[in-house]
Amino acid sequence: MTTRTWESLQIPTPGTFVLDAAHTRIGFVVKHMMVSKVRGHFDEFSGSVTIAENPLESSAELTIKTASISTGAPDRDGHLRSDDFLAAEKFPELTFR
């Protein structure tokens, strides 16, 4: 990847850059009952960042498969996929733009 100078900053040249799933982790940490922390991640996702000629017009998009949530506890993961939380059957993807 090459860079360019914009307002005294080094930024990437224009183009679209795709997340490398082998080197990316979409993770989270939440407090449980104000005592412990639950850590987890999503196994299936895709995303990209598009750097525009005018950097202020750049954009990013991330799509996560909700059923791919993993906290290391199968019962908890099933509950998180349920309608109480992610409703993975009704909403199979989370998309951020």
Side-chain angles (χ1 to χ4, degrees):
M1 175 171 42
T2 60
T3 61
R4 61 188 165 130
T5 302
W6 182 78
E7 295 190 2
S8 303
L9 300 170
Q10 288 296 309
I11 64 171
T13 57
T16 298
F17 304 90
V18 177
L19 290 179
D20 177 359
H23 296 96
T24 305
R25 181 177 174 94
I26 306 298
F28 57 88
V29 178
V30 295
K31 282 209 173 200
H32 177 68
M33 299 184 70
M34 302 302 291
V35 176
S36 63
K37 293 179 182 176
V38 173
R39 298 175 192 279
H41 64 276
F42 291 91
D43 290 319
E44 296 179 48
F45 57 87
S46 61
S48 64
V49 175
T50 299
I51 306 296
E53 187 65 42
N54 175 353
L56 299 176
E57 296 173 359
S58 297
S59 62
E61 182 168 323
L62 174 67
T63 300
I64 299 169
K65 302 288 186 185
T66 53
S68 75
I69 194 167
S70 177
T71 63
D75 289 343
R76 177 174 46 221
D77 294 347
H79 189 206
L80 292 172
R81 290 182 191 107
S82 77
D83 288 349
D84 288 343
F85 290 95
L86 295 173
E89 286 188 24
K90 293 179 203 167
F91 305 104
E93 294 181 341
L94 295 169
T95 300
F96 299 89
R97 289 186 184 99

